[in-house]
Amino acid sequence: MTASPILATRGLGLDIGGATILADVELEVREGDLLGVIGPNGAGKTTLFNLVSGLARPTSGSIELDGRDITKDPPFRRTRAGLGRTFQVSNVFPLLSVHENVRLAAEAALGGTMRIWRRASRVREAGDRADDSLERVGLGRRARIAASLLSHGDKRKLELAMVLAGGSRVILLDEPMAGVAMEDVDELAELIRSVHADGRTVLMVEHHMEVVTGLAERIAVLHHGRLLAVDTPDAIMRNQTVQQAYLGEPL
């Protein structure tokens, strides 16, 4: 018997002002999968992540996490249930230290608030999680500096550390290579690969096709808000419908 998906969308759609942004997306993600999500600009990739993470509410369909319907859950409940997310634009507190950014993420996932003056055992546990996560992404030695002083590539690592500290089992990476210097892309890709190898499920929206095909076990293709195909990277690259979605250029 095939195991139930850890994440699934059922007929997921979003209409805004009479315009269809996403339509009837049926997607199942297996536990431990690394799924790339690709498509032309405006295809609905970030919208899909916004719906799954709770930043937007679908107008049709549903979302399941580990067999439970989370369609109406606010983002913080999804985080505590094991769903983490990074964003296209770096989303950190620039004036706080690297460590404080990660500790706050851990506290939020543990059921606390985002106040930096919390005390007692939960703060100690959050601090320990922060230490471990920063070491995991290679930022342990930079824990005490302001997050604003990090390079863009290191800010991406910091965001990943924040997700890891929250205990996320399913991680949504929205264009993790956006703005990252070319010389840092390979290192960041290897970090994503190693996080996935730890047993986490990863969904990644990314425009760098070499990164997607090098990391993903399966690729989902969106076009005009609809799911065109879900298959292995090799099969997707040969798919004529997918090629036409990219203005007829071979992928």
Side-chain angles (χ1 to χ4, degrees):
M1 179 180 296
T2 303
S4 299
I6 191 169
L7 177 70
T9 64
R10 312 291 187 189
L12 194 64
L14 177 66
D15 294 331
I16 299 178
T20 297
I21 311 301
L22 211 66
D24 198 29
V25 174
E26 295 273 345
L27 184 63
E28 292 191 349
V29 183
R30 303 179 295 259
E31 185 167 13
D33 204 354
L34 201 164
L35 179 76
V37 181
I38 67 172
N41 289 333
K45 305 181 297 296
T46 293
T47 297
L48 174 62
F49 273 21
N50 286 344
L51 294 177
V52 171
S53 60
L55 296 183
R57 183 66 62 87
T59 51
S60 60
S62 62
I63 305 158
E64 297 173 7
L65 180 65
D66 206 11
R68 188 175 71 84
D69 191 324
I70 62 168
T71 311
K72 296 182 179 180
D73 285 358
F76 79 89
R77 291 194 184 278
R78 303 184 196 206
T79 297
R80 292 178 187 172
L83 181 68
R85 182 198 175 159
T86 67
F87 293 82
Q88 290 182 27
V89 178
S90 184
N91 191 34
V92 301
F93 297 104
L95 299 183
L96 297 182
S97 73
V98 169
H99 187 273
E100 287 169 335
N101 270 273
V102 184
R103 179 173 61 80
L104 288 175
E107 279 194 38
L110 288 168
T113 70
M114 298 297 281
R115 294 176 297 172
I116 63 174
W117 56 85
R118 285 179 60 88
R119 298 180 178 178
S121 60
R122 183 166 290 163
V123 173
R124 288 194 295 273
E125 182 179 352
D128 290 342
R129 284 195 184 190
D131 290 338
D132 291 343
S133 298
L134 286 171
E135 288 295 334
R136 179 69 183 79
V137 303
L139 291 179
R141 294 185 178 182
R142 313 203 72 190
R144 304 304 167 186
I145 71 170
S148 61
L149 298 178
L150 294 177
S151 68
H152 196 78
D154 281 347
K155 285 178 182 176
R156 292 301 194 189
K157 294 179 184 178
L158 174 56
E159 291 171 320
L160 188 53
M162 292 166 69
V163 170
L164 296 178
S168 300
R169 298 168 54 206
V170 179
I171 300 175
L172 311 179
L173 303 178
D174 194 355
E175 296 194 33
M177 305 301 165
V180 175
M182 287 304 299
E183 58 267 25
D184 295 330
V185 167
D186 288 346
E187 181 184 3
L188 187 54
E190 284 305 313
L191 179 57
I192 294 170
R193 189 193 308 277
S194 68
V195 167
H196 170 246
D198 287 344
R200 292 178 176 85
T201 304
V202 178
L203 286 75
M204 178 176 65
V205 168
E206 184 53 58
H207 284 291
H208 284 67
M209 293 304 300
E210 290 184 2
V211 172
V212 175
T213 57
L215 288 176
E217 299 166 337
R218 293 189 302 148
I219 295 177
V221 184
L222 284 170
H223 186 49
H224 292 316
R226 296 184 180 275
L227 192 61
L228 285 186
V230 183
D231 213 328
T232 64
D234 286 346
I236 289 295
M237 295 304 105
R238 295 192 304 265
N239 189 307
Q240 292 185 355
T241 302
V242 172
Q243 291 186 16
Q244 290 173 1
Y246 281 85
L247 303 179
E249 298 180 2
L251 297 176

